[in-house]
Amino acid sequence: MGQGQTGAGARHLQVRAGALAAALLAFVSLASRATPLPEIEVDVHDKASLQRGARLFMNYCLSCHSATYMRFSRLARDLDVPEAVAKQNLMFVSDKIGDTMQVSMNPREAETWFGVAPPDLSVVARARGVDWVYGFLTSFYRDPSRPSGVNNLMFRNTAMPHVLWELQGWQEPVIENKPDDSGQSVETVVGVELAEPGALGAEEFKAAVRDLVGFLAYLSEPAKPLRQRVGFWVLWYLAVFLAVAYLLKWEYWRDVR
Ligand code: HEC
């Protein structure tokens, strides 16, 4: 009986290991098939860039997405924007500086329009990572089979329309024949190319999206600059205190010895 149990245990373990290996393999093949992530740098200390990003966000995103955890007053303070200027240039959905950044659209209506309610973007830069969000915003391409007329390299069949088309223009997919899992050749979108330019040049557009993603990174952790500043002084204090403590120890132990 004891032996039987051990046998069952071992089989169980084997099954588990098999499942784990299968899951790992699936993950690796998925990862290798997905479009590679772009890599970008954002600087949440660069206030001019954050201000430009905030303006883009208010103009192009807040109509559908909210950022419930941020108040306009805090935004104005953190980004060094005087309240009067903030009211005029950033606040299109509310006129009370103490309000949080709520979308005016009813989430239920949004769901009937898009099929999914646009999610709150307060922490999206942390949840998805800045590289992914940048890749998402820059890789919309024309796809007549979708209700919105576009698809996306990072987020297949996303319900979000290409809201930055005026700035970026329109991209067409680059299609190649690639073998799928069963070895059959299928048409796969491997990249995008600009077909109709928008109001901004390609580099200008990338810079604008970097500002926007930088702003989303700030949104997802508004206290980061403060945290880093305080951390710096705390470490300094500890270093000085260590020196003082050491000298004190030295002084006391001189008498003991
Ligand atoms: C017309 C409405 C609309 C506007 C305007 C809009 N979005 Fe979206 N967005 C959506 C919808 C709907 C989704 C959900 C997509 C899905 O799940 O398929 C979405 C999803 C996203 C996601 C993915 C979130 C996640 O983790 O799944 C990000 C990031 C995003 N939007 C950023 C933006 C930014 C930045 C802007 C402004 C430039 C913007 N959106 C403007 C409708 C909109």
Side-chain angles (χ1 to χ4, degrees):
M1 154 127 185
Q3 229 177 14
Q5 252 180 0
T6 340
R11 249 198 320 278
H12 191 67
L13 213 73
Q14 261 176 358
V15 171
R16 279 220 184 157
L20 195 72
L24 260 174
L25 263 178
F27 177 74
V28 170
S29 70
L30 243 183
S32 61
R33 236 183 311 137
T35 320
L37 271 187
E39 275 179 33
I40 62 157
E41 295 273 327
V42 294
D43 179 7
V44 291
H45 302 272
D46 181 348
K47 297 215 166 142
S49 159
L50 292 184
Q51 286 171 3
R52 291 191 298 269
R55 218 187 138 89
L56 284 170
F57 185 81
M58 305 302 165
N59 276 306
Y60 291 99
C61 318
L62 200 53
S63 47
C64 289
H65 294 279
S66 43
T68 315
Y69 298 108
M70 177 55 74
R71 283 178 201 284
F72 288 106
S73 47
R74 161 143 209 187
L75 185 74
R77 200 172 59 232
D78 284 356
L79 269 52
D80 287 344
V81 179
E83 286 197 2
V85 178
K87 278 195 173 170
Q88 216 172 26
N89 286 316
L90 296 178
M91 295 172 55
F92 309 119
V93 290
S94 156
D95 53 5
K96 294 200 200 78
I97 192 85
D99 273 355
T100 54
M101 290 166 44
Q102 291 286 358
V103 62
S104 43
M105 189 166 43
N106 176 336
R108 201 165 292 153
E109 276 174 14
E111 211 172 317
T112 48
W113 290 332
F114 303 110
V116 262
D120 189 282
L121 293 185
S122 301
V123 293
V124 75
R126 291 228 287 189
R128 293 281 202 176
V130 286
D131 295 340
W132 187 90
V133 177
Y134 174 84
F136 175 61
L137 293 171
T138 48
S139 71
F140 282 91
Y141 62 87
R142 276 195 180 130
D143 180 350
S145 71
R146 300 289 308 153
S148 61
V150 286
N151 212 322
N152 189 282
L153 281 184
M154 295 289 142
F155 191 158
R156 278 215 69 67
N157 297 343
T158 180
M160 178 163 143
H162 182 23
V163 297
L164 297 175
W165 68 270
E166 278 174 308
L167 304 181
Q168 186 185 28
W170 294 98
Q171 301 186 125
E172 291 287 346
V174 178
I175 297 173
E176 276 177 18
N177 281 323
K178 283 198 159 185
D180 68 359
D181 290 342
S182 57
Q184 263 179 340
S185 172
V186 284
E187 289 194 339
T188 318
V189 179
V190 292
V192 287
E193 61 191 6
L194 195 64
E196 263 177 55
L200 300 182
E203 290 308 313
E204 267 179 313
F205 178 72
K206 284 185 191 162
V209 177
R210 269 200 305 275
D211 290 338
L212 179 55
V213 175
F215 174 73
L216 290 173
Y218 151 78
L219 258 193
S220 63
E221 200 191 345
K224 186 172 183 182
L226 178 70
R227 171 167 69 71
Q228 287 179 337
R229 235 180 6 252
V230 172
F232 175 77
W233 286 113
V234 167
L235 288 181
W236 252 112
Y237 169 77
L238 286 177
V240 171
F241 182 75
L242 181 74
V244 172
Y246 184 75
L247 288 176
L248 213 63
K249 179 204 166 223
W250 191 65
E251 186 63 30
Y252 283 156
W253 276 85
R254 208 167 46 171
D255 296 343
V256 178
R257 282 205 206 104

